Amino acid sequence: VIRKNVREIQLSIRKISEKASEKEDCVRLDIGQPSFDTPQHVKEAARNFLDEKQGYTSTTGIQKLREKIAEEESMKSGVDVRPEEVMVTTGGMEAIFALFSSRLDEDDTLLVNDPSWGPYRLISAVNGNGVEQTQYFHNGELTEDVKEKAEKADMIAINSPSNPEGRVLSRDESRAIAELAEDKNCFLMTDEVYWRLTFDEEHQSPAAFNDNSALIGSVSKNHAMTGWRIGWIVDDSENIKEYAKVSRAMTAAPNKIGQLAAFEALDNSFHVGKMRDEYRKRRDYVVEQMKELGWGFTDPEGAIYAFPEVGKDSWEFAMEMIDEGVAVVPGEPFGSESDRSVRIAYGAAEMEELEKGFERLKKAV
Amino acid sequence: VIRKNVREIQLSIRKISEKASEKEDCVRLDIGQPSFDTPQHVKEAARNFLDEKQGYTSTTGIQKLREKIAEEESMKSGVDVRPEEVMVTTGGMEAIFALFSSRLDEDDTLLVNDPSWGPYRLISAVNGNGVEQTQYFHNGELTEDVKEKAEKADMIAINSPSNPEGRVLSRDESRAIAELAEDKNCFLMTDEVYWRLTFDEEHQSPAAFNDNSALIGSVSKNHAMTGWRIGWIVDDSENIKEYAKVSRAMTAAPNKIGQLAAFEALDNSFHVGKMRDEYRKRRDYVVEQMKELGWGFTDPEGAIYAFPEVGKDSWEFAMEMIDEGVAVVPGEPFGSESDRSVRIAYGAAEMEELEKGFERLKKAV
């Protein structure tokens, strides 16, 4: 018998990708991954690293990759991170799953932003912990509701740059959410898998202002390496040992050649600037188009998404648009106030495709 | 706060590998992986497959790999397996974790053989389900205890060829355990990750005799591909959809290049015969040596392990032997009757190393 909490999970967004893949000539703005392929120098390094014996690595990952990640995270957060405070995982997903599974019991509650990335709720459903959702910020200030809900929460998830809105926390906002978590004695998970992809302001890690937090990273989006499934979690070494027990049970260890490829990507990351410039161009174009369409939206300042309100039911809109030859993701699964919004993954389509997509959207609306 | 069931997990065997890696000139018979590297033609295929875009695959895996696995599993079990009845996973570990997480609640009990592979209990500890352990067979017949314990169990795990004993179920035994599970209305998990590595009789899948079962497979041991982290689960397509929800939450999808390499290994598996012949030679040597040492043991008929009784406390013996320059794993964590046995992973060491190891064992005993 399948457990109730698994049985009841609906992977509703799949309806979109299934319908879109059946439609001939459909511009795919629904897929949450870069249009770029993994950089050539990373692939070339992987080809060479294949000379090594492809056996198990330790559960926490290859030492030189842990060192490289520690270096990057120290630089990013301004807090000294040591290699033993890093565990490499099978994508950011495994890192988040291991964290929830290590810390959140059935009676515990995770607080997530409204709107936020679906898998926080998916992982919670599998793990069996509760989830509360509320808008964290309004005009740069914490909302009253987040302060109230944090009182009862056991963990707060923050994601900047964010999926689906492409929102980037300011330094003040980062500090505010980090301090709220500390005040309310909540553990803080700061998911920074898009941190390299900011277009206006620099990324500021909330982890810099909070000692009771874990940071999630990944090469998937920042380095166009989604297929390699390499992410990580950063926390005190004692906590890492606990997460490693769960990770040991989940996957034994991350893929070795993926770890070596990730090392090369972090060691020689000159490719990131070019990708970011291209995403920025697309972002500028998308903002201009959304304005022309008269859609309201939160400024997309990072990641690879925009999340406009389209003025009608998000599922209806998304299904109709596939018939018009452009796929976007309905906002409804992302949050309680998002049932008239859609997510546009401009990172997934090259400029020409993106233009074709917006021509179709404009014609249809 | 770390959850109690995670906090209480002891990865005790790590003490052995830690001590062994500090000892200079130590023969490593503790490591559960092949001495062979991934076959060259598989690596070469992976190098070529790197030309493809390295993006996400679907959670259930690349279609052509699912087809290839379905072909292999149909051939092996004699039951027609279709591609939609296969989910590719991040190693056999993820397959087992997803299965337990999908099916075993807190009040549910998994029944495992005594002795058996530790991760069944590790995964259960993370997942929160109960575990019962008993010896399944005695002189080729089901024991009274397994019949009794199956009454209250929700899932029965069977592993053939087995870790740690290297035991291979006969056709009659396979049928008996499969029918017991059906009689008692227990779900059956049949873990066959060593199925290619039998030295006397052919492997017989219990899944052939049971409709309410899931089969676990992997390229890790059969194809010397532990570092690639590619395994799978086979079950009815409706169940696969449920497991895929959990796998989606755990890792999103398996590593792409690993899947493509696994395809090559299954498509051109001429390398397996040579490895098996070499393992058989080592097995014959180990059996002879264990006899000379006067140790009792179950006949190792498959996998890459032997599990002799050494006549003293298994932890004491294992720790002492590292000082003598040979590492084996204490039996105690594997089962309730195994605290005077040790696991010898002869698959992990080439013949010359193995001989050196046994010289040291004989000198010390």
Side-chain angles (χ1 to χ4, degrees), chain A residues 173-247:
Chain A
E173 289 171 326
S174 287
R175 185 194 295 271
I177 194 77
E179 289 179 352
L180 177 71
E182 271 195 344
D183 286 353
K184 306 295 183 183
N185 206 14
C186 271
F187 192 83
L188 182 70
M189 175 184 81
T190 167
D191 176 351
E192 307 181 7
V193 299
Y194 296 97
W195 82 273
R196 297 263 207 167
L197 306 178
T198 62
F199 311 127
D200 308 310
E201 279 188 58
E202 287 272 294
H203 169 84
Q204 169 64 54
S205 175
F209 310 109
N210 187 307
D211 286 335
N212 192 27
S213 61
L215 188 153
I216 308 294
S218 164
V219 292
S220 293
K221 310 298 165 58
N222 287 328
H223 300 276
M225 292 179 67
T226 52
W228 300 83
R229 315 304 309 120
I230 299 296
W232 54 85
I233 185 164
V234 179
D235 200 343
D236 295 344
S237 60
E238 286 309 306
N239 290 330
I240 290 293
K241 282 180 193 157
E242 300 295 328
Y243 309 151
K245 295 176 185 173
V246 177
S247 178

Side-chain angles (χ1 to χ4, degrees), chain A residues 27 278 349-357 359:
Chain A
V27 176
E278 173 61 26
E350 290 177 18
M351 204 58 186
E352 208 173 315
E353 274 293 285
L354 198 57
E355 286 172 356
K356 205 200 281 181
E359 271 163 36

Side-chain angles (χ1 to χ4, degrees), chain B residues 69-185:
Chain B
I69 293 167
E71 215 177 89
E72 161 154 323
E73 294 296 351
S74 298
M75 180 266 290
K76 165 159 70 102
S77 66
V79 178
D80 183 39
V81 174
R82 288 166 296 127
E84 59 271 29
E85 296 174 323
V86 174
M87 175 169 80
V88 184
T89 55
T90 299
M93 290 294 285
E94 190 192 16
I96 298 170
F97 193 110
L99 180 68
F100 289 7
S101 174
S102 298
R103 289 188 172 274
L104 296 172
D105 245 318
E106 270 185 20
D107 304 329
D108 293 335
T109 301
L110 171 75
L111 185 56
V112 302
N113 188 50
D114 192 354
S116 61
W117 187 51
Y120 299 145
R121 289 178 292 278
L122 171 64
I123 296 169
S124 295
V126 172
N127 187 51
N129 59 269
V131 180
E132 285 283 341
Q133 187 166 29
T134 188
Q135 194 184 328
Y136 288 179
F137 292 98
H138 184 69
N139 291 335
E141 303 283 337
L142 288 170
T143 61
E144 287 310 308
D145 204 45
V146 72
K147 291 180 195 168
E148 202 175 293
K149 289 219 163 79
E151 201 77 57
K152 288 179 201 150
D154 300 278
M155 190 187 294
I156 297 181
I158 184 77
N159 174 214
S160 172
S162 81
N163 180 359
E165 293 179 295
R167 208 175 170 302
V168 177
L169 293 186
S170 69
R171 192 178 163 81
D172 284 348
E173 289 171 327
S174 287
R175 185 194 295 271
I177 194 76
E179 288 178 353
L180 178 71
E182 270 193 346
D183 286 353
K184 305 295 183 184
N185 206 14

Side-chain angles (χ1 to χ4, degrees), chain B residues 296-342:
Chain B
F297 54 88
T298 303
D299 279 337
E301 305 157 318
I304 54 177
Y305 312 104
F307 197 59
E309 278 189 55
V310 295
K312 72 187 287 187
D313 177 81
S314 68
W315 277 101
E316 229 173 88
F317 182 87
M319 291 310 243
E320 279 172 23
M321 286 308 118
I322 295 174
D323 294 329
E324 303 294 331
V326 52
V328 297
V329 174
E332 182 271 327
F334 291 92
S336 67
E337 310 276 323
S338 308
D339 57 347
R340 295 169 82 78
S341 301
V342 298

